[in-house]
Amino acid sequence: NLAMTKTVDIRGGGGDGGEFNATVGDHITLTNGGINADSSVGGGFGGFVSLDAGEDYLGGVVAGGTIDINSASFLMRGSATDTFGGDGGELDLLALGRIRLFGAGMVIRASAATNFDGSGGTISIDSGDSNPNVLRALDGDLEIDGLIFMNSGATGGYGGSFVLCVVRVRGC
């Protein structure tokens, strides 16, 4: 299990944002904190955050696992330099069970730098096992109750990419 209650700050200073990876055998919980992988300056990419729960090969006490993100923020914004803007970052959430994004202040910001060009980021959320065509015990509900921003820059670029792979959906 992984339980986080404080903000993790992995911002990039003169280029790309940071990278945060967590893989656990059972559950991941993030409450009243967040992960800041912004690129601060330099026209950099917004960083990468990956949370992977329910990987039974690592051990644990239950089959599968869940991800609960409560009143937290994911910041993966690109930065600008004198002539161009960086793209938004990437968020990957994978659980062999339920994924919930909820609570006051729940926000994902994966936008490009606001001036110049740059594309919005990428979000991928998967709350099921390897067979999306059959409902099985490790297929979890997906609940999204928060704000999501994946904007392009003001002078060019594409909006973000949002991919869901889930058998059950609630609250979208």
Side-chain angles (χ1 to χ4, degrees):
N1 290 329
L2 172 64
M4 299 182 293
T5 58
K6 304 284 184 189
T7 296
V8 176
D9 188 346
I10 53 172
R11 290 177 288 175
D16 295 337
E19 182 173 331
F20 182 92
N21 293 292
T23 303
V24 301
D26 285 333
H27 311 296
I28 295 175
T29 304
L30 174 57
T31 305
N32 296 326
I35 299 174
N36 186 342
D38 282 347
S39 169
S40 299
V41 295
F45 167 77
F48 177 77
V49 176
S50 175
L51 303 178
D52 187 355
E55 293 297 339
D56 292 330
Y57 71 90
L58 293 174
V61 295
V62 299
T66 62
I67 297 176
D68 285 320
I69 309 298
N70 182 3
S71 302
S73 62
F74 291 102
L75 306 177
M76 300 156 295
R77 295 172 288 200
S79 65
T81 188
D82 294 338
T83 57
F84 66 92
D87 295 335
E90 181 176 343
L91 173 65
D92 294 334
L93 302 177
L94 171 64
L96 291 173
R98 179 192 72 228
I99 297 176
R100 293 189 316 154
L101 306 168
F102 63 102
M106 175 58 230
V107 65
I108 300 170
R109 296 185 187 276
S111 294
T114 55
N115 45 356
F116 303 113
D117 59 354
S119 295
T122 301
I123 297 173
S124 175
I125 302 174
D126 185 343
S127 66
D129 63 18
S130 61
N131 186 347
N133 300 312
V134 178
L135 183 61
R136 298 193 289 199
L138 295 180
D139 292 319
D141 290 335
L142 172 60
E143 179 182 335
I144 299 174
D145 184 17
L147 300 173
I148 299 172
F149 299 93
M150 299 181 298
N151 300 318
S152 69
T155 63
Y158 297 99
S161 172
F162 191 40
V163 178
L164 300 175
C165 185
V166 31
V167 178
R168 307 175 197 191
V169 178
R170 294 175 28 183
C172 284

